[in-house]
Amino acid sequence: MAGMPSTSGPVPTRPDAGVPRLHHVEHGDGIPVLVLHGAYSALEEPEGYLEPFFRTRSGHRRIYVDLPGMGASPGDDVQGPGDALDAVEAVLDGRVGDERFLVVAQSFGAYLARGLVERRPAQVAGLALICPLLMSGEFAGEHAAVHVAGDIDGMLTPEQDAEYRGYFVVQTPETAQRFIDAVAPVLGRYDGPAVERIMEGRLEPDPDDGQAFSAPTLIVTGRQDA
């Protein structure tokens, strides 16, 4: 489909002092879709697996954001998840305004997305959470491959191979190629201390204590997501 060129750059910040300006890119036009990646990642990861889907459908303006301290976004002034969410809202203020929008979010980004719903329940028109991180309770089980097939020797560098085998539970040439295309480009592109500060805190109010969200919602998860 025809789409707008990718755009990026600074956006107006919220009045809060110290809110970083987050790097972001846009594709297409239509209803805004805010996309948030997980911790220790960058926008290219969800962009890599979502764009093939969105390019077959019209009417969606995808806004991919690098969270603070990750990708090309600074994280020096961010002390916790609330600051990270303030920075995401600054992007919304500058790119979406008072329009209704959809949210697609992965892992830790899904936790921030739930906080965003708590802050803007009337503006979020729909929500998709992919392998969402739960900040309450304990993780169950250890990571283990559940399906291994085909030969991936030589496809990955030693560093990539270690990351891939510790991340993917379905290990095949096809998933290795998806790792190369969408995950490998973001490896190491984060500020460790900044990400740790964001991950250590909790949002206030806590999304677990919030009101029910009645707009269309999709949660994609699996038994081996630990």
Side-chain angles (χ1 to χ4, degrees):
M1 72 178 187
M4 296 171 56
S6 170
T7 62
S8 64
V11 298
T13 62
R14 296 168 66 79
D16 313 78
V19 174
R21 299 187 177 191
L22 301 184
H23 172 256
H24 64 282
V25 299
E26 292 189 22
H27 305 289
D29 53 11
I31 184 172
V33 183
L34 175 70
V35 183
L36 303 178
H37 61 77
Y40 303 98
S41 186
L43 65 83
E44 287 88 351
E45 182 174 0
E47 186 182 37
Y49 64 76
L50 288 175
E51 280 305 293
F53 169 82
F54 277 117
R55 285 171 182 157
T56 65
R57 293 157 175 81
S58 61
H60 300 89
R61 177 163 66 101
R62 292 88 68 193
I63 305 170
Y64 295 87
V65 176
D66 273 338
L67 293 175
M70 292 170 260
S73 290
D76 294 345
D77 296 324
V78 176
Q79 300 303 317
D83 291 344
L85 192 51
D86 288 343
V88 170
E89 286 199 276
V91 175
L92 288 170
D93 290 343
R95 307 304 301 177
V96 177
D98 60 1
E99 287 184 72
R100 299 194 77 200
F101 60 93
L102 304 171
V103 182
V104 180
Q106 171 185 340
S107 192
F108 179 70
Y111 177 67
L112 295 180
R114 294 175 60 214
L116 187 62
V117 167
E118 190 70 19
R119 292 186 181 186
R120 303 190 180 206
Q123 198 175 0
V124 178
L127 180 66
L129 306 179
I130 302 169
C131 304
L133 175 65
L134 302 178
M135 299 295 279
S136 59
E138 297 181 357
F139 292 106
E142 297 293 333
H143 174 83
V146 298
H147 179 71
V148 179
D151 184 6
I152 66 170
D153 290 344
M155 293 184 65
L156 306 162
T157 68
E159 178 189 15
Q160 292 172 348
D161 189 80
E163 293 282 351
Y164 169 76
R165 295 183 191 276
Y167 186 11
F168 278 59
V169 298
V170 175
Q171 298 178 5
T172 66
E174 291 76 19
T175 63
Q177 188 61 53
R178 290 183 68 101
F179 179 90
I180 292 168
D181 294 339
V183 181
V186 309
L187 293 178
R189 292 179 52 206
Y190 60 83
D191 177 342
V195 178
E196 289 175 9
R197 291 195 303 271
I198 294 170
M199 296 284 289
E200 285 175 356
R202 297 289 294 271
L203 290 171
E204 295 292 343
D206 193 318
D208 286 348
D209 300 327
Q211 298 182 357
F213 181 61
S214 59
T217 302
L218 173 68
I219 301 174
V220 181
T221 187
R223 293 189 179 96
Q224 279 74 38
D225 280 340

